[in-house]
Structures are given as C-alpha cells and as structure tokens.
C-alpha cells in the first residue's frame, strides 16, 4: 500500500480579528509557526500540488513523509504572515486565488519580516487580499504556488423562496459582492451604513453548484426603502422585524413579478466555463505561468463542472460534493488513481466558546497536527491518541 499525502486546508493565517464574521477562518500565526516546527521536527517535507499530481497519477516518488499545505482565497495575511514563516522553515505550499478578489493596489506591503516588535506586528496591514505583485513574488520564489479558485467565489439565488432579509450582523456579504463586484477586494467586512438593509435573501447556493435565478431589483429596492423609512438600523430593534418584512414582501409580490429569469442548462454550463476559463487565463497572464490545478470554492464541484474543468486543461482539482461518497477513499496516493485531491483541516476543536479566543475554532497545536497526518493514513493508534487527548483537554477546560 502506497503512503497517502495529507493535504491541509487553510484560509487566513495571522491575527484573529473578532470584528470579522468569518474570524474562525484565521489560524493564529503563532499556531501556524508551531505547526511548521512540528512538520520539521518530525521529518516531513512540504510539496506543491504539482508534486502530489505527479505522485498520484505518474507515480513519481516523493519523500515518504510528505505534506501539502494549501491556502484558499488569497487573503493578504497569507503574504504578511504565512509566506515569511514558510520561507523561514524552508517550506512551500499552494495558494488558490479568485481574480475578482485580487487587490488592485500596487507595490509590496510589509510582512512579518519587517516587524521588529510586538507592536509592529499588531500594526501590520492584515485586512483584505493579496495584490498581483505579492502573488507574483510568492510564486516566483517557489514559496506559494498560485493556482485557480474560480472567478467569483460567490453565492446566487436559486429560487424565489425568501428565507431571510438583510439585517445588521448578517453573514450575507455575498450580496454586497454581487451588487458591487468592482469593490470585492475591499468588501471583507460589511459596511452597515452602506448595506441595503431589508433586501430579501432567497434560497441560494454556491455560484458553481446550481442554476441561478434573477430577482426583480425593483422588488428588492422597495423592501430596502421600507426599512429606511422605518428607522434604518433602528428598525431591527423591533423583535418582530422579520415577520413585518415577510408581510411587506407578500404585499409587494402582488405588484411585482419577483422571479424575472432562470438560467437554462446551457446558460449554467456556459457560466461555469467562463468562470473557470477566465480565472485560469487571468492568473497565467498576470504571473506568466501555467495554471493546471483548481480548488472548488466551498466544495461546489458538480459532475458537469468537473468535466468542464478537465476540458479546460485543469489536470487535478480538489474533492467536492460531486464525489461525496468517494471522498473518504481518496488518500492522495497511486493506490486510488483519481485526479481529485482530498484535504484535511488543521483544527482540534470546532464550536468552541468564542469567549475563549474570539473564534469558534481552535486550531491544532503542532503535536496534534502531526497526529492528524497519521490519522489520514489510517493509523489507528493516532485516532485513539487524538480522542484521548482531546477528551482530557476538554475536561480541563470544563472544570477550570
């Protein structure tokens, strides 16, 4: 039996910002460095996506202890924190970016290497996304290989069924992305003073997962206008605000045709093709390189989408919903020759109390991180140790 290569999925790496709704995506940079130390201590070698592909498909030998580190979305802190730490330990990885989110700024921003004190580290710019110059630098230095993550990385309505309404503190930031696509690199946070509160949230899905429906914008603007006329943010102090808006929406449906258009199957497939093709060509043009690998945003791959990806020249992509029954069989080894990559998350606890560390997730300390590699390769003793140690830690937390 061939050895499997654990592929680790990160997003943001840096300093947890409790004001960001998705702060659980941030692995603290100190924890990340501890993980790298344990990778080094235990003799693991980091690979690129190309290395894994060559091993799985072409059976080209790689070190027995190998790991692939991947980073989704192209957050700025990948350049500010992850990149200098990977360089420090002589390691590498793969970063998946969406051209829509690449920052339009020029020049290289400061990284952890430029910070001399804790105060300097705290003052490093952390919010936002990498620009093309930063991506080019990381790629050319062979520290972070830049690959595709589709163009938009958003959600779209899939039916005319209303499930919610825009309200302060909601997580429907994709509405802002879709309404202001040119500002996507700056929309990591919702500006509630500008968000169109009151707009209906319809049943929705990841952009690449299903056909899109188009909603009458006048209907939406009438809902937003109602909220503005009735106090704006203060409107939501009424505990019955959602019932009120559902009632307003029902009345408006008598005046407006809510659903204007539904994508045909051809429209849908053409949109997927455009997304995947644009992202590939844009990265290749900007970085003067070949892009061969694809990461499905939110596991949004469908059978049709995977076929299109293959036709466009992507030779391998991440596992997605289309092969949910097979995902556990994929160990990124020649024993199961499939051009899909299975990934694990560097997480020890999920749904942890946010009060403890400003995030609902606790990222794996280095020693636990390495046990995850062993578990990925079906090492039974690793699973037993992981469960036992997690139990002890949870009990200590409970009784302190």
């Amino acid at each position: 039996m061939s050895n499997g290569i654990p592929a680790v999925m990160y997003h943001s790496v840096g300093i947890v910002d409790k004001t960001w709704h998705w702060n659980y995506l941030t692995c603290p940079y100190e924890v990340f460095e501890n993980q790298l130390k344990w990778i080094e201590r235990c003799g693991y070698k980091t690979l690129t996506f190309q290395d894994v592909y060559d091993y799985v498909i072409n059976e080209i030998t790689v070190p027995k202890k190998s790991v692939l580190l991947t980073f989704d979305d192209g957050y700025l802190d990948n350049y500010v924190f992850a990149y200098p730490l990977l360089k420090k330990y002589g390691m590498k990885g793969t970063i998946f970016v969406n051209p829509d989110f690449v920052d339009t700024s020029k020049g290289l921003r400061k990284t952890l290497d430029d910070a001399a004190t804790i105060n300097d580290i705290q003052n490093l710019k952390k919010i936002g996304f990498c620009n093309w110059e930063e991506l080019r630098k990381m790629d050319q230095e062979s520290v972070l290989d830049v690959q595709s993550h589709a163009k938009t990385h958003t959600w779209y309505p899939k039916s005319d069924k209303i499930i919610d309404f825009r309200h302060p503190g909601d997580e429907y930031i994709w509405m802002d992305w879709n309404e202001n696509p040119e500002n996507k690199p700056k929309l990591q946070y919702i500006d509630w003073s500008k968000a169109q509160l009151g707009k209906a949230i319809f049943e929705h899905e990841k952009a690449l997962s299903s056909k899109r429906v188009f909603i009458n914008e006048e209907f939406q603007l009438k809902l937003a206008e109602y909220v503005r006329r009735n106090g704006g943010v203060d409107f939501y102090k009424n505990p019955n605000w959602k019932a009120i808006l559902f009632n307003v929406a029902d009345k408006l449906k008598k005046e407006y045709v809510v659903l204007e258009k539904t994508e045909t199957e051809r429209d849908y497939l053409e949109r997927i093709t455009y997304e995947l093709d644009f992202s590939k060509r844009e990265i290749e043009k900007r970085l003067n390189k070949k892009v061969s690998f694809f990461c499905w945003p939110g596991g949004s791959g469908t059978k049709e989408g995977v076929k299109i990806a293959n036709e466009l020249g992507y030779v391998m992509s991440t596992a997605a919903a289309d092969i949910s029954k097979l995902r556990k069989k994929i160990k990124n080894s020649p024993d199961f020759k499939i051009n899909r990559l299975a990934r694990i998350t560097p997480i020890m606890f999920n749904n942890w109390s946010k009060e403890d560390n400003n995030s609902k997730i606790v990222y794996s300390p280095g020693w636990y991180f390495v046990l995850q590699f062993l578990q990925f390769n079906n090492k039974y003793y690793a699973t037993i140790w992981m469960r036992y140690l997690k139990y002890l830690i949870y009990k200590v937390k409970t009784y302190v």
Side-chain angles (χ1 to χ4, degrees), residues 164-203:
D164 202 353
F165 300 89
R166 292 305 306 271
H167 58 275
D170 71 39
E171 296 191 5
Y172 306 117
I173 193 170
W174 54 271
M175 293 278 285
D176 298 272
W177 295 346
N178 296 344
E179 290 164 5
N180 303 282
E182 71 282 357
N183 292 329
K184 286 171 82 168
K186 303 173 184 176
L187 289 174
Q188 190 168 336
Y189 290 80
I190 298 175
D191 184 346
W192 296 111
S193 67
K194 297 179 181 178
Q196 296 193 356
L197 299 173
K199 281 190 170 183
I201 306 298
F202 294 86
E203 275 190 319

Side-chain angles (χ1 to χ4, degrees), residues 90 123 181 188 249 272 279 339 360 387:
N123 290 330
Q188 190 168 336
I272 294 178
S279 179
N339 68 338
K360 66 181 182 181
R387 289 177 180 172

Side-chain angles (χ1 to χ4, degrees), residues 274-285:
Y274 171 70
E275 278 233 25
L276 274 59
D277 186 49
F278 179 91
S279 179
K280 186 178 192 298
R281 289 186 293 103
E282 185 71 0
I283 297 170
E284 289 178 338
K285 179 182 74 175

Side-chain angles (χ1 to χ4, degrees), residues 3-5 328-333 336 342 375-378:
N3 202 53
I5 299 174
K328 289 186 178 180
K329 294 183 179 180
I330 300 174
K331 294 298 177 183
N332 308 327
S333 85
F336 191 53
Q375 183 188 45
F376 179 77
N377 273 300
N378 298 320

Side-chain angles (χ1 to χ4, degrees), residues 71 78 83 86 93-95 135 138-139 142-146:
F71 303 81
N78 288 178
Y83 158 64
L86 288 168
T94 296
I95 182 170
L135 292 170
M138 294 188 292
D139 188 86
S142 299
V143 177
L144 280 171
D145 173 39
V146 180

Side-chain angles (χ1 to χ4, degrees), residues 115-174:
T117 66
I118 294 295
N119 191 54
D120 291 339
I121 293 173
Q122 293 291 333
N123 290 330
L124 288 169
K125 183 171 176 56
K126 300 173 283 289
I127 304 307
F129 297 84
C130 296
N131 63 35
W132 287 113
E133 290 181 55
E134 291 157 347
L135 292 170
R136 186 177 302 112
K137 181 177 176 64
M138 294 188 292
D139 188 86
Q140 289 180 345
E141 293 182 4
S142 299
V143 177
L144 280 171
D145 173 39
V146 180
Q147 296 293 331
S148 174
H149 201 26
K151 180 180 185 291
T152 65
H153 199 322
T154 192
W155 287 256
Y156 289 133
K158 66 176 183 178
S159 82
D160 60 354
K161 180 181 178 181
I162 298 174
I163 61 171
D164 202 353
F165 300 89
R166 292 305 306 271
H167 58 275
D170 71 39
E171 296 191 5
Y172 306 117
I173 193 170
W174 54 271

